[in-house]
Amino acid sequence: MEQRVSANLEKLLRVFGDTRVQLATTALAASAITAGVMWGTRRTRRSKRARDLKRNTLESIDFEGDSGFLGIDNEPQNTIVTKHTPVELTPNEESLIREQLARHYAFLGTDGMAKLRDSFVVVVGAGGVGSWAAMMLLRSGVQRIRIIDFDQVTLSSLNRHVAATRATVGISKVDALKMSFLDIAPHAQIDARVALFSADTASDLLSGSPDYVLDCIDNMDTKIDLLTFCNKNNLRVISAMGAGMKSDPSRVQIADISDTFEDPMSRVVRRRLKLLGIQSGVEVVYSTEKPGKVQLVSLAESQTEEPGDFSVLPDFRVRIVPVLGTMPAMFGIAMGTRVLTELAGFPTEPMAIKSRHALYARVQRELGNREKDRTAEFGGPQLRMSTDDTGYMLDEIWRGKSAVSGVTDKLALTRWRRDLPMTTSNCVCMTKSEADKHDKISGAPEDHYSPEIVEFVEQRLNEEKHISKMR
């Protein structure tokens, strides 16, 4: 054994003693060192190029020009659209549009559709949420739309973007939308802005007296800038919270930002707006679905050291948010529905829903306690309402608000007229303190409340009588 090892060592010494082998070994070592230096240099240069490219992107691209993002010569030039931009149709085209919108005319009426068609809407963010919101507004009759986004259609856009096709991959999202819009409504005035919204560009991008602004931005700082600008300039706005990592369509809600819960993005927006003196008055679409079922996509190993080099633009997120394509569409359609009914003057009152089943049981129990105190003079104790009836009155008829003050906290139900039985047709919603005072009044409600409150309550109770026939 020792002889075999000694023989092998002698062979190795003879090999490496050869001048040619020594030269070859030296060359290989030098090559390895050179390759390592080149790789490190290239990696450093690549990171620098990425940073320089993103820093120079906003300076080098003419966001305000008339050409598309890619400078495609055959793309139609953009039109600056405002509230007063004329929409011209021939009698024949008007006839076609009336037929195209026939179901909406039947739903909203002639006056409502006239308001809708005369409106001007700005949609900021043309991704999965914004593209669907803008599309449904166009299909519903809005003829003046400005859409704003800096990004391009990618293959991954095809799972959620309303106008994304393989043919539009690589062009700007707003141009893709504009081409699709004009196929549906050739007369529509579409202002497609390839632009990055910011506090500096807000006055220009939101100019033209829009009737509504739809915030579909997913960058937090930019979102706060937009909402703050709208608040200070009295622009009606509705904002989309996070649709990513959500999967339960039954949890999508519309509420004032002050009434949101269970949604991390809404919580951050609410707190940051509060620091700026804005506590309410911003309507949002959000989901009460608790996060945690899925996680952000992890960075590749090559991205962990300098993650900022891989973001779309400086200060934008790097990691990919998993998105179920249907959820952004639902957010966008919810936004579009809310906006079109508001523009048409069609009354809807979104409710802030917070643990309603427990609330119904509590209100029904308290209502029973109130009825126990009824004297024979007022028919004695009478309670002909189930827990389901309580929820129906609280949410469907009174929209979760006091009929007296409009407050949404610490609500109670009680008789409107003390001399009539406690039924759904004689049930009013108030705060607990308001209900306590109401139960002690003598005489008719007309003797204690303003004509406006009395008329409002009677109108809602008449509405209940009509609805109860279909329950």
Side-chain angles (χ1 to χ4, degrees), residues 215-449:
D215 162 35
C216 305
I217 301 170
D218 57 10
N219 177 266
M220 183 58 67
D221 292 339
T222 310
K223 181 179 290 289
I224 297 300
D225 287 341
L226 184 146
L227 296 177
T228 303
F229 182 90
C230 289
N231 179 267
K232 290 181 178 179
N233 291 275
N234 297 317
L235 294 176
R236 297 181 73 181
V237 62
I238 184 169
S239 178
M241 299 293 104
M245 301 192 291
K246 303 294 178 71
S247 60
D248 188 348
S250 69
R251 304 295 184 91
V252 179
Q253 297 190 36
I254 300 175
D256 188 90
I257 188 64
S258 61
D259 290 325
T260 56
F261 69 110
E262 297 289 3
D263 179 47
M265 187 173 187
S266 298
R267 181 166 55 252
V268 174
V269 171
R270 185 171 64 246
R271 290 174 176 175
R272 291 189 58 174
L273 288 178
K274 188 174 182 179
L275 293 174
L276 297 170
I278 304 171
Q279 298 192 36
S280 62
V282 176
E283 201 165 55
V284 301
V285 177
Y286 78 109
S287 171
T288 60
E289 181 180 359
K290 293 183 179 180
K293 295 179 182 178
V294 294
Q295 303 296 325
L296 292 172
V297 176
S298 299
L299 293 174
E301 184 178 350
S302 61
Q303 297 174 314
T304 55
E305 292 187 12
E306 297 290 344
D309 292 347
F310 298 91
S311 62
V312 178
L313 286 174
D315 301 323
F316 276 63
R317 68 166 181 252
V318 180
R319 297 175 68 184
I320 296 173
V321 177
V323 179
L324 197 61
T326 52
M327 294 305 290
M330 292 191 67
F331 273 54
I333 291 173
M335 292 182 80
T337 303
R338 177 62 174 158
V339 170
L340 75 89
T341 54
E342 285 292 287
L343 291 175
F346 189 89
T348 60
E349 294 183 43
M351 295 182 296
I353 299 176
K354 299 183 179 181
S355 304
R356 306 305 276 186
H357 294 297
L359 173 63
Y360 301 156
R362 177 185 63 76
V363 172
Q364 202 251 3
R365 184 172 60 253
E366 292 175 353
L367 179 58
N369 292 333
R370 289 180 183 279
E371 282 299 305
K372 289 179 182 179
D373 298 331
R374 299 296 179 188
T375 63
E377 178 185 358
F378 299 110
Q382 294 182 12
L383 183 58
R384 303 174 184 176
M385 291 174 56
S386 65
T387 303
D388 287 341
D389 290 332
T390 300
Y392 158 71
M393 292 301 299
L394 200 62
D395 285 342
E396 294 297 328
I397 302 304
W398 297 110
R399 279 64 155 180
K401 300 177 182 178
S402 164
V404 176
S405 61
V407 173
T408 60
D409 292 332
K410 299 179 180 180
L411 298 177
L413 295 178
T414 191
R415 298 188 193 192
W416 174 236
R417 298 185 182 278
R418 298 177 65 196
D419 57 333
L420 296 179
M422 181 62 211
T423 63
T424 56
S425 59
N426 186 41
C427 178
V428 66
C429 179
M430 300 178 177
T431 65
K432 289 182 181 180
S433 59
E434 291 168 349
D436 291 341
K437 293 178 181 178
H438 178 79
D439 290 345
K440 295 176 182 178
I441 66 174
S442 60
E446 288 84 353
D447 299 332
H448 299 272
Y449 296 103

Side-chain angles (χ1 to χ4, degrees), residues 20-299:
R20 289 174 297 179
V21 174
Q22 292 176 351
L23 291 174
T25 303
T26 303
L28 287 173
S31 297
I33 294 172
T34 302
V37 172
M38 292 178 63
W39 182 85
T41 303
R42 288 178 179 178
R43 183 176 180 181
T44 302
R45 289 177 177 175
R46 180 183 64 188
S47 298
K48 184 177 183 302
R49 284 199 301 269
R51 290 192 295 269
D52 290 344
L53 177 60
K54 283 181 284 189
R55 186 174 59 251
N56 295 331
T57 294
L58 301 181
E59 301 173 0
S60 62
I61 297 175
D62 180 15
F63 280 138
E64 302 302 326
D66 293 333
S67 61
F69 191 102
L70 299 182
I72 301 174
D73 294 335
N74 59 356
E75 290 295 328
Q77 287 192 338
N78 191 40
T79 302
I80 304 300
V81 178
T82 71
K83 171 71 174 176
H84 306 293
T85 300
V87 178
E88 300 177 354
L89 294 97
T90 66
N92 183 55
E93 289 172 333
E94 176 63 25
S95 177
L96 291 174
I97 293 301
R98 288 295 292 256
E99 177 64 24
Q100 187 171 322
L101 300 173
R103 302 297 176 89
H104 277 90
Y105 270 95
F107 197 102
L108 299 173
T110 302
D111 291 342
M113 285 303 298
K115 296 175 183 176
L116 193 63
R117 294 181 63 182
D118 190 48
S119 63
F120 168 46
V121 171
V122 177
V123 180
V124 186
V129 176
S131 65
W132 278 94
M135 174 64 81
M136 296 316 299
L137 288 173
L138 176 93
R139 288 184 180 275
S140 300
V142 177
Q143 300 177 133
R144 302 173 186 85
I145 301 177
R146 179 181 299 156
I147 42 179
I148 301 164
D149 201 305
F150 70 90
D151 207 0
Q152 297 170 278
V153 177
T154 64
L155 277 173
S156 67
S157 303
L158 271 66
N159 87 317
R160 61 194 181 279
H161 194 281
V162 73
T165 65
R166 289 198 174 187
T168 59
V169 169
I171 74 170
S172 67
K173 291 178 178 178
V174 295
D175 283 335
L177 278 172
K178 183 172 184 176
M179 289 186 287
S180 181
F181 285 3
L182 295 179
D183 284 340
I184 297 166
H187 68 288
Q189 297 296 316
I190 309 300
D191 186 348
R193 302 280 187 99
V194 181
L196 179 64
F197 187 91
S198 68
D200 294 334
T201 61
S203 59
D204 175 50
L205 295 178
L206 300 183
S207 64
S209 304
D211 296 290
Y212 236 110
V213 176
L214 283 73
D215 162 35
C216 305
I217 301 170
D218 57 10
N219 177 266
M220 183 58 67
D221 292 339
T222 310
K223 181 179 290 289
I224 297 300
D225 287 341
L226 184 146
L227 296 177
T228 303
F229 182 90
C230 289
N231 179 267
K232 290 181 178 179
N233 291 275
N234 297 317
L235 294 176
R236 297 181 73 181
V237 62
I238 184 169
S239 178
M241 299 293 104
M245 301 192 291
K246 303 294 178 71
S247 60
D248 188 348
S250 69
R251 304 295 184 91
V252 179
Q253 297 190 36
I254 300 175
D256 188 90
I257 188 64
S258 61
D259 290 325
T260 56
F261 69 110
E262 297 289 3
D263 179 47
M265 187 173 187
S266 298
R267 181 166 55 252
V268 174
V269 171
R270 185 171 64 246
R271 290 174 176 175
R272 291 189 58 174
L273 288 178
K274 188 174 182 179
L275 293 174
L276 297 170
I278 304 171
Q279 298 192 36
S280 62
V282 176
E283 201 165 55
V284 301
V285 177
Y286 78 109
S287 171
T288 60
E289 181 180 359
K290 293 183 179 180
K293 295 179 182 178
V294 294
Q295 303 296 325
L296 292 172
V297 176
S298 299
L299 293 174

